[in-house]
Amino acid sequence: MSFHLWLSLLIICLLGAMTPGPSLAVVTRHTLSGGRTQGLVTAWSHAVGVGLYALMTLLGLGLLFQKFPLLFKAISYGGAGYLFYLGIRALFSKGGAAETLTAGRKISLKKASWDGMAISLLNPKLALFFIALFSQYVSAGSGLYGQLIIIATPLFVDGLWYTLIACTLSRPSILEKLKRQAHLVDKSCGIIFILLACRVLWLL
């Protein structure tokens, strides 16, 4: 893979990672509820999910969806259902993230990692991104080295971007401000999740 081609792949992956959506909301909520460690675990679990999508694209994910369109619909419905579940959980959370912090309760790392990976693997937008945009780079990944670059680029771009988000939001000055508005963060995330779930179902 040439440097110019890799650079275009890097830019596309960066733009994809920076686009606001459910992933940003999940990382934000876990960072606020559990602190920097939970935020980082969520970020890199999400990145692993992105890397798995890259691997599956190399293995022919687009062709699989073309041959079995019901498979893509099943993933889309599953993603919509999971977003709706997250939305309801955020809307009706007891006391919001501030109470969790005040009480000294920590969200488990297992829960943070599950939410991070699930929100990537069950995100239809991410599947479409890899099929429509990412798949054009697959042919350039000849050989093991090229394929590793194709998988590693979106994985590390995504992980580093959400690491920046988690580290920024977990700074004491920012975290204190967010804690005071934690109930609004919860409600806002809940509404965003539910609206995104409705959008996914509307486009099916």
Side-chain angles (χ1 to χ4, degrees):
M1 177 182 288
S2 68
F3 174 76
H4 293 293
L5 188 62
W6 174 79
L7 187 60
S8 67
L9 172 62
L10 178 67
I11 293 172
I12 286 177
C13 290
L14 184 58
L15 291 174
M18 293 173 65
T19 302
S23 303
L24 176 60
V26 166
V27 173
T28 299
R29 193 158 187 267
H30 274 294
T31 302
L32 180 56
S33 298
R36 179 172 296 183
T37 301
Q38 275 71 15
L40 291 176
V41 169
T42 308
W44 284 100
S45 296
H46 185 276
V48 169
V50 169
L52 288 175
Y53 256 125
L55 175 61
M56 288 187 289
T57 303
L58 279 175
L59 297 177
L61 180 65
L63 294 175
L64 184 64
F65 282 157
Q66 288 179 5
K67 190 172 182 180
F68 303 101
L70 288 178
L71 178 60
F72 179 74
K73 280 200 170 186
I75 293 176
S76 298
Y77 280 120
Y82 189 66
L83 286 172
F84 189 78
Y85 161 74
L86 290 177
I88 294 297
R89 193 179 69 181
L91 280 176
F92 294 98
S93 61
K94 296 182 179 180
E99 184 177 306
T100 302
L101 286 168
T102 304
R105 295 193 303 269
K106 289 284 188 180
I107 294 176
S108 70
L109 295 180
K110 181 179 180 181
K111 176 62 178 172
S113 62
W114 164 255
D115 280 351
M117 185 171 291
I119 205 66
S120 60
L121 293 178
L122 295 176
N123 188 352
K125 187 187 76 171
L126 200 57
L128 288 174
F129 167 80
F130 277 99
I131 293 171
L133 297 176
F134 186 82
S135 58
Q136 63 184 298
Y137 294 94
V138 171
S139 59
S142 57
L144 180 61
Y145 180 71
Q147 292 174 350
L148 287 175
I149 290 177
I150 287 179
I151 295 172
T153 298
L155 191 157
F156 281 102
V157 165
D158 189 86
L160 291 173
W161 170 251
Y162 286 115
T163 291
L164 177 62
I165 297 293
C167 289
T168 300
L169 294 179
S170 60
R171 291 177 60 186
S173 58
I174 296 177
L175 190 58
E176 285 303 316
K177 293 178 181 178
L178 288 174
K179 281 170 64 175
R180 290 194 291 269
Q181 302 296 327
H183 64 289
L184 292 178
V185 174
D186 278 334
K187 304 307 178 189
S188 299
C189 287
I191 293 171
I192 290 171
F193 287 140
I194 291 173
L195 288 177
L196 287 170
C198 292
R199 184 174 182 272
V200 169
L201 293 175
W202 176 263
L203 294 175
L204 286 177

